[in-house]
Amino acid sequence: MQTEAIKKRIVQGLIEEITLIEATDLELVGHALIELIETKRLVHHGLNSEHRPVGYTVDSFTQDGSIVGEYSVEKHYFADISAKDEPPKYDKIPRDIDHALDHSNPKKIYLISSQEEPESFRKKFNGTAHGIKYPDRLEIYDARELAKLIHKFSVDNSAAADFFSGFF
């Protein structure tokens, strides 16, 4: 059994690696994590036949469209782009939400980013139009939360550990 100190070092190392991950790898890691969280198979269309990210479809989804996953390695994913005295505004996050909603009427939308969200993000985002309108549908995972999940699933499931060890 791992001590808490060892777990913290492992998770910190994973966070650092996740922030450097390429878009293609985040697609595969994020897709696998959603399948593990939801314990169901999803369709992954976020990569084309040449294994490059595509933008015209949502990245992952269940057959019935009730769950959608979108992945981003954009460096400023969590950046508030509003002017100083304006309400918070985000660029990519609302576009990802709208993209998921255009695909179907999902009950759950996973937004997975390789970046670490700033401490003030949740409070600010929850006050935006998308944060107010879709709080029960959104599952937002940043590098820290991804690292914790990867560690947990890897400890609990040797097949998951084998899969994730190919990336980290």
Side-chain angles (χ1 to χ4, degrees), residues 107-109 130-139:
K107 293 180 178 126
K108 200 177 281 187
I109 301 169
H130 283 79
I132 292 167
K133 191 169 182 179
Y134 305 112
D136 296 337
R137 294 187 195 199
L138 297 177
E139 296 287 334

Side-chain angles (χ1 to χ4, degrees), residues 66-132:
S66 64
I67 299 170
V68 170
E70 290 282 78
Y71 316 110
S72 178
V73 294
E74 190 170 300
K75 297 289 182 208
H76 303 290
Y77 192 76
F78 296 108
D80 178 357
I81 60 169
S82 64
K84 186 175 182 172
D85 295 328
E86 292 181 346
K89 182 178 177 186
Y90 299 91
D91 181 41
K92 180 95 165 84
I93 296 170
R95 285 189 288 132
D96 282 349
I97 295 167
D98 292 341
H99 192 219
L101 293 167
D102 288 345
H103 177 74
S104 63
N105 187 23
K107 293 180 178 126
K108 200 177 281 187
I109 301 169
Y110 284 89
L111 301 178
I112 294 181
S113 172
S114 63
Q115 303 306 300
E116 284 189 81
E117 70 179 59
E119 295 169 4
S120 60
F121 166 75
R122 295 290 172 146
K123 182 177 183 189
K124 288 180 178 180
F125 177 76
N126 290 342
T128 66
H130 283 79
I132 292 167

Side-chain angles (χ1 to χ4, degrees), residues 141-154:
Y141 290 97
D142 74 335
R144 277 179 285 172
E145 292 305 312
L146 294 175
K148 292 175 195 173
L149 283 172
I150 289 167
H151 178 267
K152 177 194 176 314
F153 284 123
S154 295

